Amino acid sequence: MEPSGAGRKERPKPREPSARLEKAKQKSAQQELKQRQRAEIYALNRVMTELEQQQFDSFCKQMQASGE
């Protein structure tokens, strides 16, 4: 019977933990950027929806005024 792990190649452990830390920082920065972009998109969507509603209300008032 072979000991468990026999036949498996052991991965060499990275000697520089700074590479792992740098990768984690990049991932964190990428997530923050994504969150910020998402928040900006939601804010822009809200503004555009309000503008669209104002324009629709204005259009309805014009149609009522010309119909009378």
Side-chain angles (χ1 to χ4, degrees), residues 6 31 33 39 42 64-66:
Q31 286 176 334
L33 176 64
Y42 279 122
Q64 283 181 342
S66 63

Side-chain angles (χ1 to χ4, degrees), residues 30-44:
Q30 193 74 16
Q31 286 176 334
E32 286 178 25
L33 176 64
K34 196 172 184 178
Q35 278 184 320
R36 180 179 173 162
Q37 288 175 334
R38 186 180 179 104
E40 288 175 358
I41 289 170
Y42 279 122
L44 181 60

Side-chain angles (χ1 to χ4, degrees), residues 4 6 8 10 15 21-22 28 30 33 36 52 57 60 67:
S4 64
R8 292 186 191 171
E10 290 187 27
R15 294 180 185 219
L21 185 61
E22 186 64 32
S28 177
Q30 193 74 16
L33 176 64
R36 180 179 173 162
E52 183 181 13
D57 292 342
C60 288

